[in-house]
Amino acid sequence: ITSLSMILLLTFSDLSVEAMALNNEQMVNGDGSSGRYFLRHLQSSTAEFGRQSSIVGAPPSIPFLSFTLLMFGSGFWFADVMGDSLVAEKAKLEPESSRGHLQSTCYACRFFGLMIAAPLSTVIYSKYGPQSVVMLMAGLPSLILPLIYNLKEKKDVEVASTKEQCGEIWNTVCSRAVWQPMGFVYLYNVLQVGNAAWKQFLKTVLEFTSNQLNSLLIVAYVLLWLGIMAYKKFFITWSWRSVYLSTTLLNGIFSALQILLIKGITFGLS
């Protein structure tokens, strides 16, 4: 699904066209009307864009781009659920002394990949444009297909009916050892309301460039990987209460720093 969605995006749209922001003095279209953006072909000059766009096609529309990204994300969500299930089954075989190391190692590898992919994709996008990035997004997920045949699974296993499976899930959820910690984790995640307008604030108010926003994303992935490694090396022996209290306190500190930035209180760092 992930590869096919990006192949559709490559096939039915022109990804060699990008929007370029203009200065206030340049915000005039060819017909004399004012405008904030113009389209520039990566392989042609602005004067040639009208002729080239009729040949190579138009950039993707918002609905089509949203659909392909939804399908791309859905494929990864399916794969993520399957990967978590495999890790959970394998973790049952861990001895009590090393319980939790397998899952933390898998997440460390996952976030290490994100940490490497973020700067790499930024460089590729800046040098070759979005088409090269989408081509990688279409090709790389398909590389795991040959590995599926190496997964050991039992064939012709009797599968319980949907009613029986739902009953088993309900009996599990009714256990206090399950619903109490899971309810806490669910409420904890629900109450972490993200600031959806933060990137827009950085771009329009603080005038961050695209490279600066990408740099922040890279730093975030690096810190994420360092956090996983710190948990694996030091905090894995802590109680869950201590881990949640310390991480919540740290999250509150960074949230307070965001509020200070919005208010313009930067302690002379700007």
Side-chain angles (χ1 to χ4, degrees):
I1 295 177
T2 55
S3 297
L4 289 177
S5 62
M6 292 297 100
I7 292 175
L8 286 176
L9 186 60
L10 286 169
T11 305
F12 296 102
S13 60
D14 175 26
L15 298 178
S16 59
V17 177
E18 65 177 357
M20 299 291 292
L22 295 175
N23 297 327
N24 292 330
E25 295 81 3
Q26 299 175 309
M27 287 170 51
V28 179
N29 295 329
D31 57 357
S33 60
S34 61
R36 184 172 178 81
Y37 297 96
F38 77 96
L39 292 176
R40 178 176 69 88
H41 197 281
L42 291 178
Q43 300 175 350
S44 64
S45 63
T46 306
E48 296 176 343
F49 171 74
R51 179 174 58 84
Q52 293 287 343
S53 61
S54 61
I55 299 175
V56 299
S61 63
I62 297 300
F64 180 68
L65 180 62
S66 301
F67 172 75
T68 54
L69 291 180
L70 175 62
M71 297 303 296
F72 181 82
S74 299
F76 268 109
W77 295 333
F78 293 147
D80 187 65
V81 171
M82 183 191 70
D84 285 340
S85 300
L86 292 175
V87 173
E89 291 296 324
K90 187 68 175 180
K92 294 179 180 179
L93 305 177
E94 281 188 301
E96 190 68 28
S97 58
S98 60
R99 185 64 58 87
H101 282 276
L102 176 61
Q103 289 179 302
S104 60
T105 300
C106 291
Y107 277 104
C109 295
R110 175 181 180 180
F111 294 130
F112 180 79
L114 290 174
M115 184 179 66
I116 298 300
L120 183 61
S121 60
T122 300
V123 173
I124 294 176
Y125 178 85
S126 301
K127 190 172 182 179
Y128 301 105
Q131 190 171 14
S132 301
V133 178
V134 176
M135 290 177 63
L136 288 176
M137 295 170 65
L140 290 179
S142 60
L143 296 179
I144 67 173
L145 292 178
L147 302 178
I148 295 178
Y149 294 98
N150 294 326
L151 295 177
K152 184 179 179 180
E153 58 179 346
K154 297 180 180 180
K155 304 290 185 178
D156 302 325
V157 178
E158 183 179 357
V159 180
S161 64
T162 303
K163 182 179 180 180
E164 293 174 343
Q165 293 184 45
C166 292
E168 183 179 355
I169 294 174
W170 176 252
N171 293 331
T172 303
V173 172
C174 288
S175 173
R176 183 177 179 181
V178 175
W179 68 259
Q180 188 173 23
M182 290 297 98
F184 168 76
V185 172
Y186 175 78
L187 291 176
Y188 185 87
N189 290 325
V190 166
L191 294 177
Q192 293 193 52
V193 181
N195 187 358
W198 181 249
K199 286 187 178 180
Q200 188 66 23
F201 169 77
L202 294 178
K203 190 171 184 64
T204 58
V205 179
L206 300 183
E207 299 180 351
F208 275 42
T209 64
S210 298
N211 287 333
Q212 289 174 329
L213 292 176
N214 288 334
S215 299
L216 290 177
L217 181 64
I218 294 171
V219 172
Y221 284 144
V222 171
L223 293 177
L224 191 59
W225 181 76
L226 291 177
I228 293 294
M229 294 304 297
Y231 173 78
K232 180 182 178 181
K233 297 295 184 180
F234 305 106
F235 305 136
I236 196 170
T237 57
W238 289 21
S239 66
W240 281 107
R241 183 178 289 105
S242 301
V243 172
Y244 269 95
L245 287 176
S246 58
T247 53
T248 303
L249 180 61
L250 187 62
N251 190 22
I253 293 174
F254 282 106
S255 298
L257 291 176
Q258 286 185 328
I259 296 176
L260 292 177
L261 181 60
I262 293 174
K263 296 294 184 180
I265 304 173
T266 59
F267 306 104
L269 297 178
S270 59

